[in-house]
Amino acid sequence: LQQIATLAKHKNFARAAQELNISQPGLSQSIRLLEQQLGYKLFDRHPREVSPTVFGQRALQLGRPILLDSFRLEREMKMLANLEIGSIRIGFGPLAAEVLLAETVGKLAADFPGISIRTKVEDVPGLLQGLNDDNLDVLVCDTRYLASTDEYRIAPLPSYPIHFVCRSGHPLASKKHVSLEDIFQYKIASPELPSFLIKKFSSMSGLNFSTMDEIPNGFVQAPYHLLPEIITRCDAISLGIVPVFQKGIQSGDLHILPQENFSLMSHYEIISLKRYSVTPTIQVFHEYVLNTSGEPES
């Protein structure tokens, strides 16, 4: 189609071949082969020029929109590869969102203004459902929820130690050593705890509970960003990584409890489906998450 359009414009094989950057015999042969395939003559050959036949004119009319679409296709593929256009749908687990969402997404939006970004913060089972239903492109969350990792592409992120934190005037704040049994004498403030973590707490504390509802002295369920303010107003004890409570710890309003015989690390990764190719946007998002996560604070 491009050869037909160029030849119709110049009405001369030599000039058309020069613009197309091919040889004149090559262009002549190409047009002849196309005419043979169609069964119609596209150009009348005259001593000094050529002109489109009625079949050639019709081919030009039908071909111009296709040519425009092909140019647009090539242009948009290049723009997509260079992240000038595109979109990404990102799911964050509650803890990962507190630490990584704002900075990562903010930098991505600033550096690539042509990209549309949608984010969703949800418990991990809901995020995994969204990924498998093709409502999300990539997740940053805890893979310990996964029954199987075979269908997922997983890239680990740095781990952070998880601490129990209370207000500075809390009865446990003055103790040099605090056990899990001591901690669970108070309400626990956190988002929904995964079942494997509840079982770990139950076993290590010597207390018998299998759900949050069975925690001996109850719980306060709230998003991570609200926990620092909640626990400054009551004796509930929260748990999470240092960045969640950083401001309160620095101001002296919050206190990290010295835990005995307890060690737990955050465990979140970048997750996408193996059955889909990694897009340029996901590749860049991956790099930005890694840069944001950096080295964990102790």
Side-chain angles (χ1 to χ4, degrees):
L1 287 173
Q2 183 62 38
Q3 289 176 357
I4 293 171
T6 306
L7 183 56
K9 179 176 74 172
H10 291 289
K11 298 184 179 182
N12 179 279
F13 274 99
R15 289 194 296 271
Q18 185 176 9
E19 180 176 323
L20 293 166
N21 198 30
I22 60 177
S23 68
Q24 179 177 339
L27 176 60
S28 297
Q29 183 180 12
S30 179
I31 296 295
R32 278 198 305 272
L33 287 172
L34 181 57
E35 288 175 327
Q36 290 172 11
Q37 289 172 0
L38 294 174
Y40 301 102
K41 192 175 182 182
L42 298 178
F43 289 91
D44 286 323
R45 278 75 167 172
H46 309 293
R48 295 186 178 181
E49 64 177 22
V50 298
S51 61
T53 66
V54 291
F55 297 105
Q57 292 170 8
R58 187 58 176 161
L60 285 169
Q61 290 174 348
L62 296 175
R64 283 194 179 101
I66 298 172
L67 281 174
L68 291 175
D69 284 343
S70 71
F71 295 147
R72 180 183 175 190
L73 173 66
E74 183 178 359
R75 175 178 174 272
E76 296 217 357
M77 292 299 101
K78 289 179 180 178
M79 290 177 69
L80 192 62
N82 294 325
L83 300 180
E84 295 175 42
I85 60 172
S87 64
I88 186 169
R89 302 164 299 172
I90 313 163
F92 286 88
L95 181 56
E98 291 300 320
V99 181
L100 299 171
L101 192 156
E103 185 175 350
T104 302
V105 172
K107 287 181 177 178
L108 193 65
D111 292 347
F112 302 98
I115 293 177
S116 297
I117 304 170
R118 290 184 175 89
T119 64
K120 185 172 187 178
V121 180
E122 192 177 349
D123 291 336
V124 179
L127 294 178
L128 291 170
Q129 186 66 48
L131 184 67
N132 286 295
D133 289 345
D134 197 29
N135 294 319
L136 293 169
D137 300 311
V138 63
L139 308 180
V140 183
C141 63
D142 193 331
T143 55
R144 288 176 291 188
Y145 283 87
L146 301 178
S148 169
T149 59
D150 293 344
E151 60 188 303
Y152 300 106
R153 186 184 294 108
I154 298 174
L157 292 170
S159 295
Y160 293 76
I162 293 177
H163 299 283
F164 284 98
V165 179
C166 65
R167 64 182 179 87
S168 293
H170 193 283
L172 295 182
S174 60
K175 287 196 170 188
K176 293 183 178 180
H177 301 288
V178 177
S179 67
L180 279 180
E181 189 174 4
D182 293 331
I183 289 170
F184 280 92
Q185 297 306 308
Y186 298 88
K187 278 185 171 57
I188 300 299
S190 76
E192 182 75 26
L193 293 175
S195 58
F196 68 83
L197 193 54
I198 293 174
K199 290 177 182 177
K200 185 179 183 74
F201 288 149
S202 176
S203 173
M204 295 185 69
S205 66
L207 303 171
N208 185 22
F209 56 91
S210 57
T211 66
M212 288 187 73
D213 290 318
E214 296 174 1
I215 291 176
N217 287 286
F219 66 93
V220 177
Q221 185 176 333
Y224 273 109
H225 69 275
L226 297 177
L227 294 179
E229 186 171 352
I230 289 172
I231 64 175
T232 58
R233 299 171 183 269
C234 64
D235 282 344
I237 297 174
S238 188
L239 72 157
I241 60 179
V242 168
V244 174
F245 305 101
Q246 189 70 56
K247 290 183 180 178
I249 293 170
Q250 289 177 342
S251 67
D253 294 328
L254 299 179
H255 176 78
I256 296 177
L257 291 171
Q259 299 141 218
E260 282 184 347
N261 303 319
F262 175 78
S263 176
L264 186 66
M265 302 291 289
S266 69
H267 191 82
Y268 47 91
E269 295 83 13
I270 306 170
I271 305 172
S272 58
L273 291 172
K274 285 182 179 177
R275 66 175 180 264
Y276 295 127
S277 300
V278 178
T279 66
T281 313
I282 291 179
Q283 289 176 333
V284 170
F285 171 73
H286 187 151
E287 295 170 7
Y288 275 48
V289 172
L290 285 172
N291 290 336
T292 302
S293 60
E295 290 298 323
E297 300 180 42
S298 58

